[in-house]
Amino acid sequence: MGKFVYNALTAIFGSSLTEDIVSFMSLVISGMSSFFKDGGQATTVLAIFTGVAGSLMTIYLFMDIMDKASKDMVTLERLILIFVKYLFGMIILVYLPEIINYLFKLAKGIYDVVGNENVLNLSVSGAKIKYFGSDKWPDYSTVSDIFEKKSVFGKGVKSITNNLGLLFTLMLTYLLSFGARFAAFFIAISNAVTLITRTIFAPLGVVQCFDEGQRSAGIRYLKKFAAEALTFAVIVGILFAAGQLQNAVLAGILKPYGGELTTDNVQEILGSFKMMGSIIVIQLASLGGMMKAGQLANDIVGTH
């Protein structure tokens, strides 16, 4: 039972949740980096629909001219403007592989900044909390005696029955931590698949990039691509914010105990509805925040 208690406490006090999610997303992004590298597979798949997109763009050009001609709105100035927009659209189409690659590199660069170990450690060490005599949450090998031999919760069936309420709370917290991991992993894989799919059909998506300026369907398509790529960084930002808030709450609760979690006070602290309620709410909020990470990324990019 000691190992289970340690794992549940790690979900509350440790940084394993953030580390596991960041590690997995870094693995996914590393895999996509080879796809989006210069001259890589992204360039190859974009070429599939580039010819079709160029033809559609030319068709839309003549449709626009015919529409204005039917309304007696064709003047030399309007005609020049139409062809300038057409030229601008063709330039975007020709340089689309470079645009897509640079958008991904920009999003990856932002992710690398917010996912930096030194930045993430602020959410762990910023509250100045001690855990069983250590400045950071210890590995199980260093505290196994506390959880097994000294047995924080006792041993045998009697210890389980005497601590059913605490064990239920720890199990709930552990399940929330597992749910957060699953949600982040699902979002990471889903975004990776969506990014590659958007890349394949990008030439068709940006065909109408010269209508309505920056609000055109083509520009919106590129913005949505950027938002999908930026979602990885947003998830890390949500985890960072939740970690900062959780550490602040823990620091306040542990203040009467000298800011340290020990074998003497761990059961009392875990039995505090104020602390466990706060932690569970924060973890639920971080889980909900990750589910809305895509929406926040779209707001940052400014998609409509």
Side-chain angles (χ1 to χ4, degrees):
M1 189 175 74
K3 181 67 173 178
F4 166 74
V5 173
Y6 172 82
N7 289 335
L9 290 176
T10 301
I12 300 173
F13 300 104
S15 59
S16 62
L17 174 62
T18 301
E19 290 173 354
D20 289 350
I21 292 175
V22 171
S23 176
F24 180 80
M25 290 196 300
S26 296
L27 187 64
V28 173
I29 290 177
S30 177
M32 288 194 298
S33 294
S34 61
F35 179 82
F36 286 101
K37 68 181 181 181
D38 296 335
Q41 292 174 298
T43 303
T44 303
V45 298
L46 281 167
I48 297 175
F49 291 110
T50 299
V52 177
S55 300
L56 286 174
M57 192 174 291
T58 304
I59 292 173
Y60 288 143
L61 167 71
F62 285 105
M63 288 176 61
D64 191 22
I65 294 174
M66 291 174 61
D67 179 62
K68 286 181 170 53
S70 65
K71 300 176 182 178
D72 295 327
M73 295 174 61
V74 177
T75 62
L76 179 61
E77 291 81 5
R78 288 183 180 275
L79 201 58
I80 292 175
L81 182 60
I82 290 173
F83 276 100
V84 167
K85 289 181 178 180
Y86 174 74
L87 178 62
F88 175 72
M90 278 297 181
I91 290 173
I92 289 181
L93 192 59
V94 170
Y95 288 98
L96 188 58
E98 287 78 9
I99 294 172
I100 290 292
N101 288 341
Y102 281 122
L103 284 176
F104 176 78
K105 288 178 181 178
L106 175 63
K108 182 179 180 298
I110 295 174
Y111 171 83
D112 290 339
V113 171
V114 299
N116 184 278
E117 184 177 354
N118 294 328
V119 175
L120 292 177
N121 282 341
L122 292 174
S123 64
V124 179
S125 61
K128 306 297 182 184
I129 301 172
K130 282 186 173 293
Y131 307 100
F132 304 107
S134 175
D135 290 331
K136 62 179 181 179
W137 184 251
D139 294 329
Y140 185 70
S141 58
T142 62
V143 293
S144 58
D145 288 346
I146 296 176
F147 288 92
E148 294 292 349
K149 295 179 181 178
K150 293 184 180 180
S151 193
V152 174
F153 286 89
K155 293 183 179 181
V157 177
K158 187 177 180 180
S159 67
I160 296 177
T161 56
N162 289 341
N163 295 285
L164 281 177
L166 291 177
L167 290 175
F168 175 78
T169 304
L170 289 173
M171 186 175 294
L172 177 60
T173 307
Y174 188 77
L175 289 175
L176 285 174
S177 175
F178 178 81
R181 282 179 173 84
F182 179 81
F185 293 172
F186 176 81
I187 293 171
I189 293 297
S190 176
N191 275 26
V193 173
T194 302
L195 276 174
I196 294 174
T197 305
R198 281 188 177 277
T199 301
I200 295 173
F201 295 100
L204 300 179
V206 302
V207 163
Q208 295 185 6
C209 60
F210 51 82
D211 292 334
E212 300 181 15
Q214 65 174 353
R215 294 188 178 183
S216 67
I219 299 301
R220 285 203 307 271
Y221 191 93
L222 292 176
K223 283 185 175 182
K224 285 184 176 294
F225 176 91
E228 294 283 356
L230 193 61
T231 301
F232 295 97
V234 173
I235 290 175
V236 177
I238 291 170
L239 291 173
F240 176 82
Q244 288 282 29
L245 182 59
Q246 181 168 305
N247 270 18
V249 171
L250 290 176
I253 292 172
L254 291 174
K255 191 175 181 179
Y257 303 93
E260 183 173 1
L261 184 71
T262 66
T263 53
D264 296 326
N265 62 25
V266 62
Q267 283 184 282
E268 181 182 351
I269 291 171
L270 292 177
S272 168
F273 176 78
K274 179 182 178 182
M275 192 208 80
M276 295 309 297
S278 300
I279 298 304
I280 290 174
V281 169
I282 291 172
Q283 292 199 351
L284 281 172
S286 65
L287 180 58
M290 283 189 289
M291 298 304 292
K292 290 188 175 181
Q295 180 181 335
L296 180 54
N298 278 284
D299 291 339
I300 293 171
V301 175
T303 55
H304 302 285

Coordinates of all heavy atoms in Angstrom, one line a residue, residues 32-108:
M32 N 7.0 15.3 -35.6 CA 6.5 16.2 -36.6 C 7.6 17.1 -37.2 O 7.5 17.5 -38.4 CB 5.4 17.0 -36.1 CG 4.1 16.3 -35.8 SD 2.7 17.4 -35.5 CE 3.3 18.2 -34.0
S33 N 8.6 17.3 -36.5 CA 9.7 18.2 -37.0 C 10.4 17.6 -38.2 O 10.7 18.3 -39.1 CB 10.8 18.4 -35.9 OG 10.2 19.2 -34.8
S34 N 10.5 16.3 -38.2 CA 11.1 15.6 -39.4 C 10.1 15.7 -40.6 O 10.6 15.7 -41.7 CB 11.4 14.1 -39.1 OG 10.2 13.4 -38.7
F35 N 8.8 15.7 -40.3 CA 7.8 15.9 -41.4 C 7.9 17.3 -42.0 O 7.7 17.5 -43.2 CB 6.4 15.5 -40.9 CG 5.4 15.7 -41.9 CD1 5.1 14.6 -42.8 CD2 4.6 16.8 -42.0 CE1 4.1 14.7 -43.7 CE2 3.6 16.9 -42.9 CZ 3.3 15.9 -43.8
F36 N 8.0 18.3 -41.1 CA 8.0 19.7 -41.6 C 9.3 20.3 -41.9 O 9.4 21.5 -42.1 CB 7.3 20.5 -40.5 CG 5.8 20.3 -40.5 CD1 5.2 19.6 -39.5 CD2 5.0 20.9 -41.4 CE1 3.9 19.4 -39.4 CE2 3.6 20.7 -41.3 CZ 3.0 19.9 -40.3
K37 N 10.4 19.5 -41.9 CA 11.7 20.1 -42.2 C 11.8 20.5 -43.6 O 11.0 20.1 -44.5 CB 12.8 19.1 -41.9 CG 12.8 17.9 -42.8 CD 13.9 16.9 -42.4 CE 14.0 15.7 -43.3 NZ 15.0 14.7 -42.9
D38 N 12.7 21.4 -43.9 CA 12.9 21.9 -45.3 C 13.2 20.8 -46.3 O 14.1 20.0 -46.0 CB 14.0 23.0 -45.3 CG 13.7 24.2 -44.5 OD1 12.5 24.5 -44.3 OD2 14.7 24.9 -44.0
G39 N 12.4 20.7 -47.3 CA 12.6 19.7 -48.3 C 12.1 18.3 -47.9 O 12.4 17.3 -48.5
G40 N 11.3 18.3 -46.8 CA 10.9 17.0 -46.2 C 9.5 16.6 -46.8 O 9.1 17.0 -47.9
Q41 N 8.9 15.7 -46.1 CA 7.6 15.1 -46.6 C 6.5 16.2 -46.7 O 5.7 16.0 -47.6 CB 7.1 14.0 -45.6 CG 8.0 12.8 -45.6 CD 7.6 11.8 -44.5 OE1 7.6 12.1 -43.3 NE2 7.2 10.6 -44.9
A42 N 6.5 17.2 -45.9 CA 5.5 18.3 -46.1 C 5.6 18.9 -47.4 O 4.5 19.2 -48.1 CB 5.7 19.3 -45.0
T43 N 6.8 19.2 -47.9 CA 6.9 19.8 -49.3 C 6.4 18.8 -50.3 O 5.8 19.3 -51.3 CB 8.4 20.1 -49.5 OG1 8.9 20.9 -48.5 CG2 8.6 20.7 -50.9
T44 N 6.6 17.5 -50.1 CA 6.2 16.5 -51.1 C 4.7 16.4 -51.2 O 4.1 16.5 -52.3 CB 6.8 15.1 -50.8 OG1 8.2 15.2 -50.7 CG2 6.4 14.1 -51.8
V45 N 4.0 16.4 -50.0 CA 2.6 16.2 -50.0 C 1.8 17.5 -50.5 O 0.8 17.4 -51.0 CB 2.0 15.8 -48.6 CG1 2.6 14.5 -48.2 CG2 2.4 16.8 -47.6
L46 N 2.5 18.6 -50.2 CA 1.9 19.9 -50.7 C 1.8 20.0 -52.2 O 0.9 20.6 -52.8 CB 2.6 21.1 -50.1 CG 2.4 21.5 -48.7 CD1 3.4 22.4 -48.1 CD2 1.0 22.1 -48.5
A47 N 2.8 19.3 -52.8 CA 2.8 19.3 -54.3 C 1.7 18.6 -54.9 O 1.3 18.8 -56.1 CB 4.1 18.8 -54.8
I48 N 1.0 17.7 -54.1 CA -0.1 16.9 -54.7 C -1.2 17.7 -55.2 O -1.7 17.5 -56.3 CB -0.6 15.9 -53.6 CG1 0.5 14.9 -53.2 CG2 -1.8 15.1 -54.1 CD1 0.1 14.0 -52.0
F49 N -1.6 18.7 -54.4 CA -2.8 19.5 -54.8 C -2.4 20.9 -55.3 O -3.3 21.7 -55.6 CB -3.8 19.7 -53.7 CG -4.5 18.4 -53.3 CD1 -4.2 17.7 -52.1 CD2 -5.4 17.8 -54.2 CE1 -4.8 16.5 -51.8 CE2 -6.0 16.6 -53.8 CZ -5.7 16.0 -52.6
T50 N -1.1 21.2 -55.5 CA -0.7 22.6 -55.9 C -1.2 22.9 -57.3 O -1.7 24.0 -57.5 CB 0.8 22.7 -55.8 OG1 1.2 22.5 -54.5 CG2 1.2 24.1 -56.2
G51 N -1.1 22.0 -58.2 CA -1.6 22.2 -59.6 C -3.1 22.4 -59.6 O -3.6 23.3 -60.3
V52 N -3.8 21.6 -58.9 CA -5.3 21.7 -58.8 C -5.6 23.1 -58.2 O -6.6 23.8 -58.7 CB -5.9 20.6 -58.0 CG1 -7.4 20.8 -57.9 CG2 -5.6 19.3 -58.6
A53 N -4.9 23.5 -57.2 CA -5.2 24.8 -56.5 C -5.0 25.9 -57.4 O -5.7 26.9 -57.5 CB -4.4 24.9 -55.3
G54 N -3.9 25.9 -58.2 CA -3.6 26.9 -59.2 C -4.7 27.1 -60.2 O -5.1 28.2 -60.6
S55 N -5.2 25.9 -60.7 CA -6.3 25.9 -61.7 C -7.6 26.5 -61.1 O -8.2 27.4 -61.7 CB -6.6 24.5 -62.2 OG -5.4 24.0 -62.8
L56 N -7.9 26.2 -59.8 CA -9.1 26.7 -59.2 C -8.9 28.2 -58.9 O -9.9 28.9 -59.1 CB -9.3 26.0 -57.8 CG -9.8 24.6 -57.9 CD1 -9.8 24.0 -56.5 CD2 -11.2 24.5 -58.4
M57 N -7.7 28.6 -58.6 CA -7.5 30.1 -58.4 C -7.7 30.9 -59.6 O -8.3 32.0 -59.6 CB -6.1 30.3 -57.9 CG -5.8 31.7 -57.3 SD -4.2 31.9 -56.6 CE -4.4 30.9 -55.1
T58 N -7.3 30.3 -60.8 CA -7.5 31.0 -62.1 C -9.0 31.0 -62.4 O -9.5 32.0 -62.9 CB -6.8 30.2 -63.2 OG1 -5.4 30.2 -62.8 CG2 -6.9 31.0 -64.5
I59 N -9.7 29.9 -62.1 CA -11.2 29.9 -62.4 C -11.9 30.9 -61.5 O -12.8 31.6 -62.0 CB -11.7 28.5 -62.1 CG1 -11.2 27.4 -63.1 CG2 -13.3 28.5 -62.1 CD1 -11.5 26.0 -62.8
Y60 N -11.5 31.0 -60.2 CA -12.1 32.0 -59.4 C -11.8 33.4 -59.9 O -12.7 34.3 -59.7 CB -11.6 31.9 -57.9 CG -12.1 30.6 -57.2 CD1 -11.3 29.9 -56.3 CD2 -13.4 30.2 -57.4 CE1 -11.8 28.8 -55.7 CE2 -13.9 29.1 -56.7 CZ -13.1 28.4 -55.9 OH -13.6 27.3 -55.2
L61 N -10.7 33.6 -60.4 CA -10.3 35.0 -61.0 C -11.3 35.4 -62.1 O -11.9 36.5 -62.1 CB -8.9 34.9 -61.5 CG -8.5 36.1 -62.4 CD1 -8.3 37.4 -61.6 CD2 -7.2 35.8 -63.2
F62 N -11.5 34.5 -63.0 CA -12.4 34.8 -64.2 C -13.9 34.9 -63.7 O -14.7 35.7 -64.2 CB -12.3 33.7 -65.3 CG -11.0 33.9 -66.1 CD1 -9.9 33.1 -65.9 CD2 -10.9 35.0 -67.0 CE1 -8.8 33.3 -66.6 CE2 -9.7 35.1 -67.7 CZ -8.7 34.3 -67.6
M63 N -14.2 34.1 -62.7 CA -15.6 34.2 -62.1 C -15.8 35.5 -61.5 O -16.9 36.1 -61.6 CB -15.8 33.1 -61.1 CG -16.0 31.7 -61.7 SD -16.1 30.4 -60.4 CE -17.6 30.9 -59.6
D64 N -14.8 36.0 -60.8 CA -14.8 37.4 -60.2 C -15.0 38.4 -61.2 O -15.8 39.4 -61.1 CB -13.6 37.6 -59.3 CG -13.7 38.8 -58.4 OD1 -14.8 39.2 -58.1 OD2 -12.6 39.3 -58.0
I65 N -14.2 38.3 -62.3 CA -14.3 39.3 -63.4 C -15.6 39.3 -64.0 O -16.3 40.3 -64.3 CB -13.2 39.1 -64.4 CG1 -11.8 39.3 -63.8 CG2 -13.3 40.0 -65.7 CD1 -10.6 38.9 -64.7
M66 N -16.2 38.1 -64.3 CA -17.5 38.0 -65.0 C -18.6 38.5 -64.1 O -19.5 39.1 -64.5 CB -17.7 36.5 -65.3 CG -16.8 36.0 -66.4 SD -17.0 34.2 -66.7 CE -18.8 34.1 -67.2
D67 N -18.5 38.3 -62.8 CA -19.5 38.8 -61.8 C -19.5 40.3 -61.8 O -20.6 40.9 -61.8 CB -19.1 38.2 -60.4 CG -20.1 38.7 -59.4 OD1 -21.3 38.4 -59.5 OD2 -19.7 39.4 -58.4
K68 N -18.3 40.9 -61.8 CA -18.3 42.4 -61.8 C -18.7 42.9 -63.2 O -19.3 44.0 -63.3 CB -16.9 42.9 -61.4 CG -16.6 42.7 -60.0 CD -15.2 43.2 -59.6 CE -15.0 43.3 -58.1 NZ -15.3 42.0 -57.4
A69 N -18.4 42.2 -64.3 CA -18.8 42.7 -65.6 C -20.3 42.6 -65.8 O -20.9 43.5 -66.4 CB -18.1 41.8 -66.6
S70 N -20.9 41.6 -65.2 CA -22.4 41.5 -65.3 C -23.1 42.7 -64.5 O -24.3 43.0 -64.8 CB -22.9 40.2 -64.7 OG -22.6 40.1 -63.3
K71 N -22.4 43.3 -63.6 CA -22.9 44.4 -62.8 C -22.4 45.7 -63.3 O -22.6 46.8 -62.6 CB -22.6 44.2 -61.3 CG -23.2 42.9 -60.7 CD -22.8 42.7 -59.3 CE -23.3 41.4 -58.7 NZ -22.8 41.2 -57.3
D72 N -21.7 45.7 -64.4 CA -21.1 47.0 -64.9 C -20.2 47.6 -63.9 O -20.1 48.8 -63.8 CB -22.2 47.9 -65.4 CG -23.0 47.4 -66.5 OD1 -22.4 46.7 -67.4 OD2 -24.2 47.7 -66.6
M73 N -19.4 46.8 -63.2 CA -18.5 47.3 -62.2 C -17.0 47.2 -62.6 O -16.1 47.4 -61.8 CB -18.7 46.6 -60.9 CG -20.1 46.8 -60.3 SD -20.3 45.8 -58.8 CE -19.0 46.3 -57.7
V74 N -16.8 46.8 -63.9 CA -15.4 46.6 -64.3 C -14.8 47.9 -64.8 O -15.3 48.5 -65.8 CB -15.3 45.5 -65.5 CG1 -13.9 45.4 -66.0 CG2 -15.8 44.2 -65.0
T75 N -13.8 48.3 -64.1 CA -13.1 49.5 -64.5 C -11.6 49.1 -64.6 O -11.2 48.0 -64.1 CB -13.2 50.7 -63.5 OG1 -12.7 50.3 -62.3 CG2 -14.7 51.1 -63.4
L76 N -10.8 50.0 -65.1 CA -9.3 49.7 -65.2 C -8.7 49.5 -63.8 O -7.9 48.5 -63.6 CB -8.6 50.8 -66.0 CG -7.1 50.6 -66.1 CD1 -6.8 49.3 -66.9 CD2 -6.4 51.8 -66.8
E77 N -9.1 50.4 -62.9 CA -8.6 50.3 -61.5 C -9.0 48.9 -60.9 O -8.2 48.3 -60.2 CB -9.1 51.4 -60.7 CG -8.5 52.8 -61.1 CD -9.2 53.4 -62.3 OE1 -10.2 52.8 -62.8 OE2 -8.8 54.4 -62.8
R78 N -10.3 48.6 -61.0 CA -10.8 47.3 -60.4 C -10.1 46.1 -61.1 O -9.8 45.1 -60.4 CB -12.3 47.2 -60.6 CG -13.1 48.2 -59.7 CD -14.6 47.9 -59.9 NE -15.3 48.8 -59.0 CZ -15.6 48.6 -57.7 NH1 -15.2 47.5 -57.2 NH2 -16.4 49.5 -57.1
L79 N -9.9 46.2 -62.4 CA -9.2 45.1 -63.1 C -7.8 44.9 -62.6 O -7.3 43.8 -62.4 CB -9.3 45.3 -64.6 CG -9.1 44.1 -65.5 CD1 -10.2 43.1 -65.2 CD2 -9.1 44.5 -67.0
I80 N -7.1 46.0 -62.5 CA -5.7 45.9 -62.0 C -5.7 45.4 -60.5 O -4.9 44.5 -60.2 CB -5.1 47.3 -62.0 CG1 -4.9 47.8 -63.4 CG2 -3.7 47.3 -61.2 CD1 -4.4 49.2 -63.5
L81 N -6.6 45.8 -59.7 CA -6.7 45.3 -58.3 C -7.0 43.8 -58.3 O -6.4 43.1 -57.5 CB -7.8 46.0 -57.6 CG -8.0 45.7 -56.1 CD1 -6.7 45.9 -55.3 CD2 -9.2 46.4 -55.5
I82 N -7.9 43.3 -59.2 CA -8.2 41.9 -59.2 C -7.0 41.1 -59.6 O -6.7 40.1 -59.0 CB -9.3 41.6 -60.2 CG1 -10.7 42.2 -59.7 CG2 -9.5 40.1 -60.5 CD1 -11.8 42.1 -60.7
F83 N -6.2 41.6 -60.6 CA -5.0 40.9 -61.0 C -3.9 40.9 -60.0 O -3.1 40.0 -59.8 CB -4.5 41.4 -62.4 CG -5.2 40.8 -63.5 CD1 -6.2 41.4 -64.2 CD2 -4.9 39.5 -64.0 CE1 -6.9 40.9 -65.3 CE2 -5.5 38.9 -65.1 CZ -6.6 39.6 -65.7
V84 N -3.8 42.0 -59.2 CA -2.8 42.1 -58.1 C -3.2 41.1 -57.1 O -2.3 40.4 -56.5 CB -2.8 43.6 -57.5 CG1 -2.0 43.6 -56.2 CG2 -2.2 44.5 -58.5
K85 N -4.5 41.0 -56.7 CA -4.9 40.0 -55.7 C -4.6 38.6 -56.2 O -4.1 37.7 -55.5 CB -6.4 40.1 -55.4 CG -6.7 41.4 -54.6 CD -8.2 41.4 -54.4 CE -8.6 42.6 -53.5 NZ -10.1 42.6 -53.3
Y86 N -4.8 38.4 -57.5 CA -4.5 37.0 -58.1 C -3.0 36.7 -58.0 O -2.6 35.6 -57.7 CB -5.0 37.0 -59.6 CG -4.6 35.8 -60.3 CD1 -5.3 34.6 -60.1 CD2 -3.6 35.8 -61.3 CE1 -5.0 33.5 -60.8 CE2 -3.3 34.7 -62.0 CZ -4.0 33.5 -61.8 OH -3.6 32.4 -62.5
L87 N -2.2 37.7 -58.3 CA -0.8 37.6 -58.3 C -0.3 37.3 -56.8 O 0.5 36.4 -56.6 CB 0.0 38.8 -58.8 CG 1.5 38.8 -58.7 CD1 2.1 37.7 -59.6 CD2 2.0 40.2 -59.1
F88 N -0.9 38.0 -55.9 CA -0.6 37.8 -54.5 C -1.0 36.3 -54.1 O -0.2 35.6 -53.3 CB -1.4 38.8 -53.6 CG -1.3 38.6 -52.1 CD1 -0.1 38.9 -51.5 CD2 -2.3 38.1 -51.4 CE1 0.1 38.6 -50.1 CE2 -2.2 37.9 -50.0 CZ -1.0 38.2 -49.4
G89 N -2.1 35.9 -54.5 CA -2.6 34.5 -54.2 C -1.6 33.4 -54.8 O -1.3 32.4 -54.2
M90 N -1.2 33.7 -56.0 CA -0.3 32.8 -56.7 C 1.1 32.7 -55.9 O 1.7 31.7 -55.8 CB 0.0 33.1 -58.1 CG -1.1 32.6 -59.1 SD -1.1 30.8 -59.1 CE -2.4 30.5 -60.3
I91 N 1.5 33.9 -55.5 CA 2.8 33.9 -54.7 C 2.7 33.1 -53.4 O 3.6 32.3 -53.1 CB 3.2 35.4 -54.4 CG1 3.6 36.1 -55.6 CG2 4.3 35.4 -53.4 CD1 3.8 37.6 -55.4
I92 N 1.5 33.2 -52.7 CA 1.3 32.4 -51.5 C 1.3 30.9 -51.9 O 1.9 30.1 -51.1 CB 0.0 32.8 -50.8 CG1 0.1 34.2 -50.2 CG2 -0.4 31.8 -49.8 CD1 -1.1 34.7 -49.5
L93 N 0.7 30.6 -53.0 CA 0.6 29.2 -53.4 C 2.0 28.6 -53.7 O 2.3 27.5 -53.3 CB -0.4 29.0 -54.6 CG -0.8 27.6 -55.0 CD1 -1.5 27.0 -53.8 CD2 -1.7 27.7 -56.2
V94 N 2.8 29.4 -54.4 CA 4.1 28.9 -54.8 C 5.0 28.7 -53.6 O 5.7 27.8 -53.5 CB 4.8 29.9 -55.8 CG1 6.2 29.6 -56.0 CG2 4.0 29.9 -57.1
Y95 N 4.9 29.7 -52.6 CA 5.7 29.6 -51.4 C 5.0 29.0 -50.2 O 5.5 29.1 -49.1 CB 6.2 31.0 -51.1 CG 7.2 31.6 -52.0 CD1 6.9 32.5 -53.0 CD2 8.6 31.2 -51.9 CE1 7.8 33.0 -53.9 CE2 9.5 31.7 -52.8 CZ 9.1 32.6 -53.8 OH 10.1 33.1 -54.6
L96 N 3.9 28.2 -50.5 CA 3.2 27.6 -49.4 C 4.0 26.6 -48.6 O 3.9 26.6 -47.4 CB 1.9 26.9 -50.0 CG 0.9 26.4 -49.0 CD1 0.4 27.5 -48.1 CD2 -0.3 25.7 -49.7
P97 N 4.8 25.8 -49.2 CA 5.7 24.9 -48.4 C 6.5 25.6 -47.4 O 6.6 25.2 -46.2 CB 6.5 24.2 -49.4 CG 5.7 24.2 -50.7 CD 5.0 25.5 -50.6
E98 N 7.1 26.7 -47.8 CA 8.0 27.5 -46.9 C 7.1 28.2 -45.8 O 7.5 28.2 -44.6 CB 8.7 28.6 -47.6 CG 9.9 28.1 -48.5 CD 9.4 27.5 -49.8 OE1 8.2 27.6 -50.1 OE2 10.3 26.9 -50.5
I99 N 5.9 28.7 -46.2 CA 5.0 29.3 -45.2 C 4.6 28.3 -44.1 O 4.6 28.6 -42.9 CB 3.8 29.9 -45.9 CG1 4.2 31.1 -46.8 CG2 2.8 30.4 -44.9 CD1 3.1 31.6 -47.7
I100 N 4.2 27.1 -44.6 CA 3.7 26.1 -43.7 C 4.9 25.7 -42.7 O 4.7 25.5 -41.5 CB 3.2 24.8 -44.4 CG1 1.9 25.1 -45.2 CG2 3.0 23.6 -43.5 CD1 0.7 25.4 -44.2
N101 N 6.0 25.5 -43.3 CA 7.2 25.1 -42.5 C 7.6 26.1 -41.4 O 7.9 25.8 -40.3 CB 8.4 24.8 -43.3 CG 8.2 23.5 -44.1 OD1 7.4 22.6 -43.8 ND2 9.0 23.3 -45.2
Y102 N 7.5 27.4 -41.8 CA 7.9 28.5 -40.9 C 6.8 28.7 -39.8 O 7.1 29.0 -38.7 CB 8.1 29.8 -41.7 CG 9.5 29.8 -42.3 CD1 9.6 30.0 -43.7 CD2 10.6 29.7 -41.6 CE1 10.8 30.1 -44.3 CE2 11.9 29.7 -42.2 CZ 12.0 29.9 -43.5 OH 13.2 30.0 -44.1
L103 N 5.5 28.4 -40.2 CA 4.5 28.5 -39.2 C 4.7 27.4 -38.1 O 4.5 27.7 -36.9 CB 3.1 28.4 -39.8 CG 2.6 29.6 -40.6 CD1 1.2 29.3 -41.2 CD2 2.4 30.8 -39.6
F104 N 5.0 26.2 -38.6 CA 5.3 25.1 -37.6 C 6.5 25.4 -36.8 O 6.5 25.2 -35.5 CB 5.5 23.8 -38.3 CG 5.8 22.7 -37.4 CD1 4.8 22.1 -36.7 CD2 7.1 22.3 -37.3 CE1 5.2 21.0 -35.8 CE2 7.5 21.2 -36.4 CZ 6.5 20.6 -35.7
K105 N 7.6 25.9 -37.4 CA 8.8 26.3 -36.6 C 8.5 27.4 -35.6 O 9.1 27.3 -34.5 CB 9.9 26.7 -37.6 CG 10.5 25.6 -38.4 CD 11.5 26.1 -39.4 CE 12.1 24.9 -40.2 NZ 13.1 25.4 -41.2
L106 N 7.7 28.3 -36.0 CA 7.3 29.4 -35.0 C 6.6 28.8 -33.8 O 6.9 29.1 -32.6 CB 6.5 30.4 -35.7 CG 5.9 31.6 -34.8 CD1 7.1 32.4 -34.2 CD2 5.0 32.5 -35.6
A107 N 5.6 28.0 -34.1 CA 4.9 27.3 -33.0 C 5.8 26.4 -32.1 O 5.7 26.4 -30.9 CB 3.7 26.5 -33.5
K108 N 6.7 25.7 -32.8 CA 7.6 24.8 -32.0 C 8.6 25.7 -31.2 O 8.9 25.3 -30.1 CB 8.4 24.0 -33.0 CG 9.4 23.0 -32.3 CD 10.1 22.2 -33.4 CE 11.1 21.2 -32.7 NZ 12.1 21.9 -31.9

